[in-house]
Amino acid sequence: MATADVVIIGGGVAGLFTLDQLVRDGHQPVLLEVSRLGSGQTVSAQGIIHGGLKYSLSGTSSASALGVKQMPAVWSECLAGTREPDLSDVTLRSRSCLLWRGGSLGSRLGYLGARLGLEVTPRRLEPGNRPPLLADHPGPVAEMDEPVIDPVSLLESLARRHRQRLFLYDPDRASWQLEGPGSVSGLCIWHPWDNLPGSMLQLAPSAVVLAAGAGNARLRQQLGLSATATQKRPLHMVMVRGEASQLPELFGHQVDGAHTRITITSDRDSKGRTVWQLGGQVAEDGVGMSRRELVDHVAKELAEVLPGLELDGLEVNTYRVDRAEAATPGGGRPETQSLQIEGNTLTVFPTKLALAPVLALEVAAAIGDLVVRAPGGMSRSLETIDWPRPEVACPPWESATDWLPLAPGAAVRKAA
Ligand SMILES: Cc1cc2nc3c(=O)[nH]c(=O)nc-3n(C[C@H](O)[C@H](O)[C@H](O)COP(=O)(O)OP(=O)(O)OC[C@H]3O[C@@H](n4cnc5c(N)ncnc54)[C@H](O)[C@@H]3O)c2cc1C
């Protein structure tokens, strides 16, 4: 029997942040992962630590805006190493994001920032201080102190410090002992591929945290809980890549009324090329499109949104990914992070990567009421145990194949 007072299932940003928080609170948690850490949403995320403005464009002070408004400051302290968890080894892609649109955006943004009391107030950029791609943009361009991080380096940072608590497992080679719906008395996992006698771990946690993203629905069913408490919202994301001389790094949103028409974040691939991830409305619209239709749509969108961008020579690819969240009555985006407690099972969804620190604190507070801390340090059996450990997933552009040329009609022409 291994000593673990809390078992966390799923090693995305939610599970790893919670693991780190519980260790700092003196608990003895372990984390079970089915695949690579962050597979699914975290590794696909654009990494923007939103401060709420994006959610305030409709002019109402929604809970989304109010809940996330502290996040840029909280993350900035973690990234600077002045607040736990110390994330000073996480790659900061950008300190700020841009916001641009034609018309009277500048005055409207100022009004919104003041009215909502947002910590992140957009500053208008003079034409001389804008990135070259937006130098000739006819409307105002604003800059917000919303940091953009590399989610892969975040996963690596958190995983590195708790490696001995991470276990790769196969859910089909696990058996739960239940006393009622959501009331877990034990969990037995077998080694993922070793059938030798004794290649198993018996755990008797006081609490179980389901942090498996899209996997939470099935896990909840296994624990006798309703799977309808969760929802998925699909996205069809786009990636554009090119040499750094043609495709400069850019971070920001082009807004259109209350919608984010396109959100662009940038990174470098393993060959030093710039890769843009394109989200926002374009990824929502892409859900109903084939890959080739979306590629053509994006070429047209980019030509309108960034007319100075030379598309010839750039390559494009797409990937589908579901956002996994707590269910809402209309199926729309939940306002904030979610924690549901049934028996000694906690089902969690951060809703946004940015909200993982608050979610981890909420989980820790709830666990404090459920769990009697195990005495002493980590049990010897856990420290020395010989077991496969999960690796961190790679970003979507490293696994994508069959890139297409980016030019209006190019995808269709290539198919013909
Ligand atoms: C395309 C996209 C862009 C985004 N951009 C941003 C952004 O810029 N800023 C922001 O704040 N948020 C963003 N988000 C939202 C953010 O990514 C998610 O809210 C967050 O990553 C969810 O983390 P998670 O740990 O709950 O889930 P996941 O990251 O999905 O992790 C779940 C983990 O559980 C594992 N798992 C699954 N089933 C099981 C099982 N049965 N047993 C054990 N392990 C299991 C998976 O392998 C995975 O490692 C974005 C989301 C998407 C999809």
Side-chain angles (χ1 to χ4, degrees):
M1 175 87 69
T3 306
D5 55 1
V6 184
V7 172
I8 300 166
I9 312 283
V13 68
L16 287 170
F17 247 96
T18 300
L19 178 71
D20 186 80
Q21 183 67 48
L22 292 177
V23 170
R24 279 186 280 117
D25 288 357
H27 290 284
Q28 303 292 335
V30 295
L31 187 151
L32 309 184
E33 168 60 49
V34 68
S35 163
R36 287 178 171 250
L37 300 167
S39 307
Q41 300 166 88
T42 305
V43 85
S44 309
Q46 293 190 269
I48 302 173
I49 308 302
H50 303 283
L53 188 75
K54 181 176 157 181
Y55 305 118
S56 314
L57 293 170
S58 59
T60 54
S61 60
S62 67
S64 284
L66 298 175
V68 299
K69 74 177 185 179
Q70 311 291 343
M71 289 305 108
V74 167
W75 280 82
S76 293
E77 287 173 25
C78 294
L79 291 166
T82 56
R83 181 191 185 112
E84 292 287 357
D86 179 345
L87 300 178
S88 51
D89 54 351
V90 170
T91 304
L92 183 64
R93 288 171 170 167
S94 173
R95 292 192 182 281
S96 60
C97 275
L98 302 176
L99 205 58
W100 69 97
R101 191 189 76 165
S104 58
L105 179 68
S107 55
R108 188 157 172 254
L109 289 177
Y111 160 74
L112 278 172
R115 177 172 152 198
L116 297 172
L118 294 178
E119 313 266 314
V120 174
T121 314
R123 297 178 301 277
R124 201 176 162 137
L125 277 187
E126 295 308 321
N129 294 332
R130 297 177 185 178
L133 276 178
L134 291 168
D136 298 327
H137 180 66
V141 177
E143 184 179 34
M144 301 172 293
D145 291 330
E146 291 189 338
V148 186
I149 59 142
D150 166 23
V152 172
S153 70
L154 170 67
L155 293 164
E156 281 167 351
S157 170
L158 292 168
R160 198 163 29 240
R161 85 187 58 151
H162 300 299
R163 192 156 172 77
Q164 76 280 21
R165 296 184 181 274
L166 308 178
F167 293 82
L168 194 63
Y169 87 122
D170 175 355
D172 292 332
R173 287 164 63 83
S175 111
W176 295 89
Q177 290 97 56
L178 297 178
E179 286 172 358
S183 293
V184 178
S185 56
L187 168 63
C188 188
I189 59 167
W190 279 265
H191 193 286
W193 52 81
D194 191 346
N195 283 321
L196 291 174
S199 305
M200 54 94 94
L201 262 184
Q202 178 68 47
L203 301 161
S206 303
V208 173
V209 180
L210 303 184
N216 274 355
R218 178 153 181 248
L219 284 161
R220 286 178 56 82
Q221 275 177 326
Q222 285 180 295
L223 302 192
L225 300 170
S226 156
T228 57
T230 69
Q231 68 181 25
K232 288 187 199 171
R233 288 187 304 129
L235 287 174
H236 197 173
M237 298 286 288
V238 179
M239 301 174 289
V240 175
R241 77 178 177 194
E243 297 305 325
S245 53
Q246 183 183 0
L247 193 65
E249 293 198 348
L250 190 67
F251 300 87
H253 318 274
Q254 209 265 13
V255 293
D256 181 8
H259 291 287
T260 308
R261 183 171 177 182
I262 200 164
T263 293
I264 302 174
T265 51
S266 312
D267 209 327
R268 290 286 163 90
D269 71 7
S270 54
K271 295 196 171 143
R273 291 170 291 205
T274 308
V275 183
W276 281 4
Q277 265 175 293
L278 309 183
Q281 192 61 42
V282 85
E284 308 262 355
D285 294 344
V287 170
M289 297 182 196
S290 69
R291 193 170 86 109
R292 291 176 189 282
E293 286 168 343
L294 179 55
V295 165
D296 273 353
H297 175 61
V298 160
K300 288 181 202 135
E301 284 292 282
L302 282 176
E304 282 183 30
V305 166
L306 293 170
L309 179 68
E310 175 58 61
L311 301 187
D312 271 345
L314 298 179
E315 293 180 295
V316 62
N317 217 322
T318 71
Y319 61 94
R320 291 183 186 271
V321 57
D322 288 332
R323 290 163 293 189
E325 305 162 335
T328 61
R333 184 187 66 233
E335 290 288 352
T336 186
Q337 74 278 3
S338 150
L339 162 62
Q340 194 173 353
I341 306 174
E342 292 142 304
N344 62 347
T345 298
L346 292 78
T347 306
V348 303
F349 292 100
T351 307
K352 302 299 297 179
L353 175 148
L355 289 166
V358 216
L359 177 65
L361 283 170
E362 268 184 28
V363 174
I367 295 262
D369 296 337
L370 282 173
V371 173
V372 181
R373 280 182 186 77
M378 179 185 283
S379 81
R380 197 173 154 67
S381 59
L382 265 188
E383 268 176 5
T384 55
I385 204 157
D386 182 18
W387 198 271
R389 310 293 170 168
E391 301 295 325
V392 172
C394 64
W397 52 87
E398 296 298 348
S399 51
T401 55
D402 193 18
W403 290 71
L404 297 165
L406 176 63
V412 176
R413 283 199 300 277
K414 187 176 174 186

